[in-house]
Structures are given as C-alpha cells and as structure tokens.
C-alpha cells in the first residue's frame, strides 16, 4: 500500500471518528445526520468551481456505481439502527463490521486484487481488534458470542448491515477507477441526501428538523467540512490502493474514537479496549508494509 494512500485513509479515519463524535453529541441522530449531509452538500457545491479537475458527466457505468454505493450506505445505516434498537452494543457492533471479511473476498474475486501475506496478516489483526473492542473479557467464548443467536432479528440486521457495506465498498472502488474521486464523491453525497430526505418527510421526523438545527447549529456547521474531508480523503485513497486494504485501514477510526472518548468525554480506557486499539494499529502498520 502506497504512503500517499495510507495517509489519505488515516486522515479519513480521523474525520470519520470526529463526525461520529458530532452525531453522538446531537439529540435526534437521524435528523442530525440529514443536516450533516445538507451542510456537506452545500459546502461541496460552493467549492466545486474552485476545483482544478475539469468536470465531466459520469457515464452509465459510473452512475450505476454511484447509485449502488448510495443505496448500500443508506441501507447500512438503516439496518444498523434497527440492530441497535433491539441488541446490545457488544453484540451488534462487531457483527456490523463483518464487511472487512467480505471486502477482501470481493476484491480478489471481482477486482482481481492480489494481497501479500503481510497484508493478509494485517487485515486479520484489524478484524480481531475490531471484534475485540466491545468484548467484556478475553476468551474464545466471548469472541464468538455475537454469532450465538443467529435467529435474533438484531443479529440478522447487524450481519445484513456488514454485508451491504461490503457491496457499497466494491461499487465505490469500481466507480473511482475510471472517474474522478472528487465528482464521484459529490454525486454520492447528493444521492444519499436525496434518499435521506425521502425518509425525513415522514410525519414522525418533521417536528425534529427545525428543533435539531436550532439546538445544534454549531455542530451542523462543523459537520460540513468534517464529513466532506472524510469522504474525499477515503475515496482518493481508495483510488490509489486495493479496496481489500483500504476498508480495514479505515478502522483506525476506532482507535481515534477511543482516544476521543478518553480525552474529551471522560470515558475510561479498559485493558480490553487498549489491547483492541493496539491490534488495529499493528494491523494497519502491516497493511502499510504489505
């Protein structure tokens, strides 16, 4: 993995952790995420005339990849939310990250990506660290606990979320291979905003739209550049590296999230979270070498 791609994806991971912090501090999460996409879309539109890259309309294949990516990521958030409504964090979170298992498989089969042994070891370390971060204790039994009740609707929703995210990642990688990551990201953000808007016109959300903006307008303003930076750096990094490496490296956001929780939210850092963060960091380093 090239140094440039690695740096871009790590920056994306930091921005990803920051916008998740903004969501955590909001009142109505669904409405706030919609406002985040409104802010990032407006900022994106204002900045596009300053872009050095010449604009060209995407071809039919790129449009298809944008549509698949947008649908997958919106569905990912939908199923993730459904999983959290009825399931424990320690069960739902690891299962929703199972995309990292699928992505290397899709990358090798569909995109003909070749992974080195060092890179594969790095991916496995990141997967182990991601699964471990919400464990209650170190044991094999605890590691497989989320998979025990496959009939649970929460478990099924979390597994579905992980699978859908992996498809979206492959669509993105395919899309940015022959089209500008800048304009791909722009159309992706607009498409996701359109889908979220359709969801927010439902009566149960309408009263919260104005309330959320009045209460958290400062967070909304910050969210625009943060989410724009997160999206752009990841897609430029994705254009320069195998998707099989890019998606696991972005899990560095978990390490950043742990640090934010300790430094700014007063959360405790237990032994398990520390070890899990170090596993992710070691895995990212091996992927860089691979």
């Amino acid at each position: 993995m090239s140094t440039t791609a690695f740096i871009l994806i790590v920056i994306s991971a930091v921005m990803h952790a920051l916008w998740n912090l903004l969501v955590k501090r909001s009142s109505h999460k669904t409405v706030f995420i919609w406002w985040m996409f409104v802010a990032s879309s407006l900022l994106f539109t204002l900045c596009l005339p300053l872009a050095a890259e010449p604009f060209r309309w995407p071809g039919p294949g790129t449009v298809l990849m944008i549509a698949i990516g947008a649908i997958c990521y919106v569905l990912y958030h939908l199923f993730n939310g459904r999983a959290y409504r009825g399931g424990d964090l320690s069960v739902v979170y690891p299962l929703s990250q199972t995309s990292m298992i699928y992505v290397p498989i899709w990358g090798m089969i569909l995109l003909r990506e070749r992974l080195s042994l060092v890179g594969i070891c790095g991916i496995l370390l990141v997967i182990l660290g991601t699964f471990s971060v919400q464990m209650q204790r170190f044991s094999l039994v605890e590691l497989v606990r989320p998979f025990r009740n496959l009939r649970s609707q929460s478990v099924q929703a979390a597994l579905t979320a992980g699978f859908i995210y992996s498809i979206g990642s492959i669509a993105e990688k395919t899309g940015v291979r022959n089209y500008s990551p800048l304009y791909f990201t722009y159309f992706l953000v607009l498409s996701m905003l359109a889908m979220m808007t359709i969801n927010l016109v439902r009566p149960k959300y309408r009263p919260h739209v104005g309330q959320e903006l009045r209460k958290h307008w400062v967070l909304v303003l910050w969210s625009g550049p943060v989410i724009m930076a997160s999206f752009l750096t990841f897609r430029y990094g994705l254009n320069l590296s195998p998707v099989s490496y890019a998606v696991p490296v972005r899990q560095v956001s978990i390490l950043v999230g742990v640090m934010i929780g300790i430094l700014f939210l007063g959360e405790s850092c237990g032994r398990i979270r520390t070890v899990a963060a170090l596993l992710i960091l070691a895995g990212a380093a091996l992927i860089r070498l691979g």
Side-chain angles (χ1 to χ4, degrees), residues 237-254:
L238 189 62
N239 191 38
L240 298 172
S241 69
V243 65
S244 305
Y245 288 161
V247 172
V249 168
R250 207 184 191 202
Q251 296 305 307
V252 171
S253 62
I254 295 174

Side-chain angles (χ1 to χ4, degrees), residues 30-46 186 188-198 200 209 213 219-225 227-228 231:
T30 301
V31 175
F32 182 79
I33 290 174
W34 178 81
W35 274 118
M36 282 198 338
F37 274 81
V38 169
S40 61
S41 298
L42 290 174
L43 180 61
F44 223 140
T45 302
L46 291 173
Y186 179 63
L188 180 70
V189 169
L190 289 182
S191 301
M192 292 179 68
L193 175 61
M195 293 178 192
M196 292 178 185
T197 302
I198 294 172
L200 250 70
V209 174
L213 181 62
L219 297 183
V220 170
L221 288 178
W222 274 108
S223 71
I227 198 169
M228 182 175 166
F231 272 52

Side-chain angles (χ1 to χ4, degrees), residues 115-233:
L115 307 181
S116 68
L117 180 59
V118 174
I120 292 173
C121 290
I123 293 171
L124 293 176
L125 279 179
V126 172
I127 292 173
L128 180 59
T130 304
F131 268 68
S132 301
V133 74
Q134 297 295 339
M135 286 173 56
Q136 298 172 4
R137 63 183 181 276
F138 286 115
S139 69
L140 181 60
V141 173
E142 185 68 14
L143 192 64
V144 300
R145 184 170 66 93
F147 295 95
R148 284 181 182 172
N149 189 9
L150 294 178
R151 294 183 179 180
S152 165
Q153 290 186 347
S154 295
V155 169
Q156 292 173 359
L159 287 171
T160 302
F163 182 78
I164 289 174
Y165 188 93
S166 72
I167 297 174
S169 298
I170 298 300
E172 279 194 285
K173 175 62 179 179
T174 305
V176 299
R177 284 168 115 179
N178 301 307
Y179 188 66
S180 164
L182 174 67
Y183 296 113
F184 185 94
T185 304
Y186 179 63
F187 286 119
L188 180 70
V189 169
L190 289 182
S191 301
M192 292 179 68
L193 175 61
M195 293 178 192
M196 292 178 185
T197 302
I198 294 172
N199 182 46
L200 250 70
V201 298
R202 292 192 292 171
K204 71 174 184 176
Y205 290 121
R206 291 176 195 167
H208 302 288
V209 174
Q211 293 174 6
E212 192 65 31
L213 181 62
R214 287 191 296 269
K215 188 173 182 180
H216 295 297
W217 64 271
V218 175
L219 297 183
V220 170
L221 288 178
W222 274 108
S223 71
V226 168
I227 198 169
M228 182 175 166
S230 174
F231 272 52
L232 278 176
T233 51

Side-chain angles (χ1 to χ4, degrees), residues 51-96:
E53 294 183 57
F55 175 78
R56 64 182 176 91
W57 289 102
T62 304
V63 171
L64 178 62
M65 293 304 106
I66 292 170
I68 293 174
I71 292 170
C72 285
Y73 292 137
V74 170
L75 286 177
Y76 167 78
H77 287 294
L78 175 66
F79 279 102
N80 226 14
R82 185 174 297 175
Y84 278 120
R85 280 200 296 270
D88 295 334
L89 179 66
S90 60
V91 172
V92 171
Y93 181 81
L95 296 181
S96 66

